[in-house]
Amino acid sequence: MVIPEFDPCSGGDPVLTSSSQSSSSSHKHKGGCCSTNKTSESTTQSCCQGNSCACASEQIDTTTKSTQDTKPSKQATVVEDIKFRCFKCKTKRANFTTKQDKVCRECFLVMFVHRFKSSLRSNLKIWKDDLNLICISGGSNSMALIDLMYQSLFGTVSNRKMFFRVHILYIEEGSVVYGWDEEKREKNIQFIIDACNRYNFTYTILPLEYVYDISDEIDLRQIDGETVQKIEEEKKQDELAHSTPTGQDEIVNKVLEVDDILEKRQKLMTLIESLPTHSNFREDLIFYLKRWVISSFGLKYNYKKILLGTSGHKVATQLLSQLAKGRGSSIAHEISYIDDKNFGGRITFMNPMREFLHKEIALYNYLHKVDIIQQRSLAQINNPFTNSPAFGSADYLIEKFFDRLQDKFNVNTVPTVVKLTNKLLKTDFKDESNPYPFCPLCFGIRDKINNLLEMGSTIKSIKIKEDGTNEVESIKSSSDWLSSELEQAFCFGCKRMGIMASKKEQFVEFLPAVVKTNCHRTLSTIQSTL
């Protein structure tokens, strides 16, 4: 069929003008010519007889050209469709972009759950009938963690099921840390209870004030070889006999109360308020106190595997922030998959989500409709009108730095940093000359002060005498920095926390009894070896 606009006999196409004139002259020469004013197909067929007609040949050429012009557009459509297909199934159109790969909704969920299961098996060594304590805070990472545990056990995303046991521990800190009233506190506790019932997991809810009820019999002393063998045999026996928590009736599906909670809450608030609001001192102290509560709960009720919701962004943030705070000696243990340096390995802190990005976790929560507790950070609450970047929080500032690099410049920034942390070497604690290698407050490695300038200026005070001269009082030893002898048992980072406290006497006075007792044990051991 001839397109009228490009009819070779119409003379309308400037490209075909010369060929039209030549075809007209050939018609006249042969005595048969079609009118140049007729453009319909019927007129062309009636006036052009046989294959010798130039109009017929031009008609064929024009039809071929029009067909060739339409082919590239169809090919481009097919190529574009392939470009936006899921890289996994190659059939469905992609919905999301994870790192550099485009993936559809179904494949994303399957891959996400599969990665989590692989992490449990290969990195954490969690097998059938293992007893796991899941610590949650109600945030995005921890709520995604318990949803992934549910998918691993009962979910429909993956056909391959796992068989282990789960117990949820929620430490309620809203009243003492964020200033929640009783109504909001009860509302959030009910939110956690409803979530655990929905997933069919048992739970225990503890207030942060429980840190003052921890028994001071818990000793951070490094155990000897015989005790290590006993612990290993105990672990094997637990795996074979599928042990249950001791005193299970006391904790299963219970909201535990603390005696004299108002008094202890006031002591804890005074302890937290003794530290400055900038540079994450308060956030770090709260985290270490929660770690004490978790450790005490695990030791008391025989929970050996404790899972946390640490993400890849948190690992990258901790790598830089802990180095800046002087806690680099402990970072290799704390951000690895398994942290079993404390209590001779009797309890183990695990990070199954340490390679997951914030974007991936947010997408998973959105697709699975996982509810979370919305809460502003403590730095934003304490410094809402500050001119300091990231509300004066070092961790938040570094986290925003990684977020910008990950989103705008290189999608492999955080994964590269996480892989880098796998190469960090862990410290071996087989040295019997140091029976107390850990800090009584943060569980980190106790390190020495090599230079007084590491702590700050060595000038303690400057006085002006009557004759006009200045008298400078300088720091001569690290003990001059500290307000109490107990702080000498701390690691470098916790010593700086004590030095920066605005009310140093209150900081030491309101520390939990278990921390003070372990400080005395550490100092007495050090003095006996001198």
Side-chain angles (χ1 to χ4, degrees):
M1 178 178 179
V2 179
I3 303 175
E5 293 81 359
F6 298 98
D7 187 357
C9 294
S10 65
D13 191 351
V15 180
L16 302 176
T17 302
S18 59
S19 61
S20 300
Q21 292 176 355
S22 60
S23 63
S24 299
S25 60
S26 62
H27 279 292
K28 292 179 182 178
H29 180 73
K30 294 181 180 180
C33 181
C34 60
S35 175
T36 56
N37 295 327
K38 295 180 180 180
T39 59
S40 64
E41 182 179 0
S42 60
T43 305
T44 305
Q45 291 177 353
S46 62
C47 69
C48 300
Q49 303 294 333
N51 294 332
S52 60
C53 179
C55 292
S57 62
E58 290 294 339
Q59 174 184 351
I60 296 173
D61 295 341
T62 307
T63 305
T64 305
K65 288 182 179 180
S66 62
T67 306
Q68 293 176 352
D69 292 339
T70 59
K71 283 184 178 179
S73 61
K74 292 181 179 179
Q75 293 176 355
T77 304
V78 173
V79 171
E80 183 179 1
D81 183 64
I82 295 176
K83 180 180 179 181
F84 290 99
R85 285 182 185 176
C86 172
F87 84 101
K88 185 70 175 176
C89 63
K90 302 292 191 305
T91 57
K92 298 180 181 179
R93 185 175 178 85
N95 302 109
F96 313 111
T97 301
T98 58
K99 298 180 184 178
Q100 295 175 340
D101 301 323
K102 296 177 176 62
V103 63
C104 65
R105 179 183 184 276
E106 291 75 12
C107 291
F108 170 77
L109 292 175
V110 172
M111 291 170 54
F112 197 83
V113 176
H114 175 72
R115 286 173 56 194
F116 180 75
K117 290 181 179 180
S118 299
S119 177
L120 294 181
R121 291 191 186 96
S122 60
N123 299 318
L124 273 60
K125 308 299 181 184
I126 294 179
W127 302 106
K128 184 177 179 180
D129 293 328
D130 277 351
L131 187 60
N132 304 286
L133 181 66
I134 314 297
C135 300
I136 64 174
S137 63
S140 177
N141 295 348
S142 60
M143 297 307 293
L145 175 59
I146 63 173
D147 191 88
L148 285 167
M149 298 296 285
Y150 176 82
Q151 293 296 331
S152 301
L153 292 170
F154 315 107
T156 58
V157 175
S158 178
N159 294 327
R160 189 175 182 182
K161 300 295 188 297
M162 301 183 72
F163 302 92
F164 49 79
R165 292 170 293 168
V166 172
H167 184 78
I168 306 298
L169 176 63
Y170 172 68
I171 300 177
E172 194 280 313
E173 57 181 343
S175 301
V176 66
V177 176
Y178 302 108
W180 293 349
D181 55 17
E182 192 64 25
E183 181 181 357
K184 187 173 183 180
R185 175 179 177 271
E186 294 294 336
K187 180 180 178 181
N188 287 315
I189 289 177
Q190 189 61 42
F191 170 83
I192 298 297
I193 294 175
D194 294 340
C196 294
N197 292 333
R198 185 168 60 253
Y199 292 118
N200 198 23
F201 291 152
T202 58
Y203 63 87
T204 302
I205 298 178
L206 272 175
L208 185 58
E209 293 85 350
Y210 180 79
V211 71
Y212 287 107
D213 290 343
I214 297 176
S215 174
D216 55 4
E217 295 180 358
I218 299 178
D219 196 348
L220 284 176
R221 184 182 181 90
Q222 184 67 6
I223 59 179
D224 54 13
E226 294 182 359
T227 310
V228 171
Q229 292 181 358
K230 291 181 180 179
I231 292 176
E232 293 298 328
E233 293 177 358
E234 182 181 345
K235 289 181 179 180
K236 292 180 181 179
Q237 185 64 28
D238 289 343
E239 293 176 358
L240 295 175
H242 310 312
S243 64
T244 57
T246 57
Q248 189 175 9
D249 296 337
E250 302 175 3
I251 59 173
V252 171
N253 298 336
K254 296 291 181 64
V255 180
L256 302 183
E257 299 294 338
V258 175
D259 297 334
D260 301 329
I261 188 171
L262 296 179
E263 178 184 353
K264 295 173 182 176
R265 183 175 300 170
Q266 186 61 40
K267 291 171 60 177
L268 190 54
M269 291 175 63
T270 305
L271 173 63
I272 296 173
E273 291 173 356
S274 66
L275 297 174
T277 58
H278 63 276
S279 190
N280 284 92
F281 286 119
R282 294 189 179 186
E283 291 88 335
D284 291 342
L285 176 63
I286 294 168
F287 176 76
Y288 300 144
L289 296 179
K290 290 172 67 176
R291 201 177 180 93
W292 261 112
V293 174
I294 295 170
S295 301
S296 172
F297 186 86
L299 292 171
K300 184 176 181 180
Y301 297 106
N302 196 28
Y303 286 99
K304 293 181 172 59
K305 296 182 178 180
I306 302 172
L307 276 64
L308 307 176
T310 304
S311 64
H313 285 261
K314 183 65 175 178
V315 170
T317 301
Q318 281 189 316
L319 178 64
L320 295 187
S321 64
Q322 297 292 70
L323 290 174
K325 296 173 187 176
R327 302 180 183 271
S329 56
S330 306
I331 192 64
H333 295 268
E334 295 176 356
I335 64 177
S336 62
Y337 276 107
I338 295 176
D339 180 12
D340 58 352
K341 66 180 185 299
N342 302 114
F343 307 106
R346 190 180 296 274
I347 60 174
T348 303
F349 291 95
M350 300 181 174
N351 301 311
M353 301 175 62
R354 69 184 299 271
E355 292 187 355
F356 290 1
L357 304 179
H358 279 174
K359 179 181 179 181
E360 296 174 333
I361 297 174
L363 282 175
Y364 180 83
N365 289 341
Y366 171 75
L367 295 176
H368 270 238
K369 299 181 180 179
V370 178
D371 296 328
I372 64 174
I373 296 177
Q374 299 288 347
Q375 175 61 48
R376 293 185 301 169
S377 64
L378 186 60
Q380 187 175 358
I381 294 175
N382 292 330
N383 303 309
F385 306 109
T386 182
N387 293 326
S388 302
F391 302 101
S393 171
D395 288 353
Y396 190 31
L397 179 64
I398 297 174
E399 184 177 350
K400 289 176 62 178
F401 166 73
F402 279 113
D403 285 341
R404 286 194 296 268
L405 288 180
Q406 179 73 21
D407 295 338
K408 297 183 180 180
F409 297 99
N410 190 347
V411 295
N412 290 320
T413 299
V414 173
T416 302
V417 176
V418 173
K419 291 180 181 179
L420 175 65
T421 59
N422 295 332
K423 300 180 181 180
L424 298 177
L425 298 178
K426 295 183 179 180
T427 305
D428 190 5
F429 300 102
K430 295 182 179 180
D431 186 10
E432 297 181 357
S433 62
N434 186 14
Y436 283 93
F438 306 116
C439 175
L441 180 58
C442 69
F443 292 167
I445 300 174
R446 292 180 59 251
D447 45 0
K448 299 179 181 180
I449 299 176
N450 298 319
N451 192 331
L452 291 178
L453 292 177
E454 295 175 348
M455 305 296 293
S457 174
T458 56
I459 299 177
K460 189 174 183 179
S461 63
I462 300 177
K463 298 180 181 180
I464 301 178
K465 296 182 179 180
E466 296 179 356
D467 56 358
T469 59
N470 297 330
E471 182 181 358
V472 179
E473 184 180 0
S474 60
I475 300 294
K476 298 181 181 179
S477 65
S478 59
S479 59
D480 295 341
W481 287 105
L482 309 175
S483 59
S484 172
E485 186 181 9
L486 297 179
E487 296 176 84
Q488 296 182 13
F490 289 165
C491 65
F492 179 86
C494 291
K495 285 179 181 176
R496 281 198 54 81
M497 183 185 296
I499 292 172
M500 295 301 296
S502 56
K503 301 177 181 178
K504 298 182 179 181
E505 293 78 10
Q506 293 182 355
F507 173 75
V508 177
E509 179 183 357
F510 293 107
L511 285 173
V514 64
V515 176
K516 294 181 181 179
T517 303
N518 278 279
C519 287
H520 287 300
R521 290 169 180 163
T522 303
L523 293 176
S524 61
T525 304
I526 294 175
Q527 293 174 359
S528 63
T529 56
L530 295 178

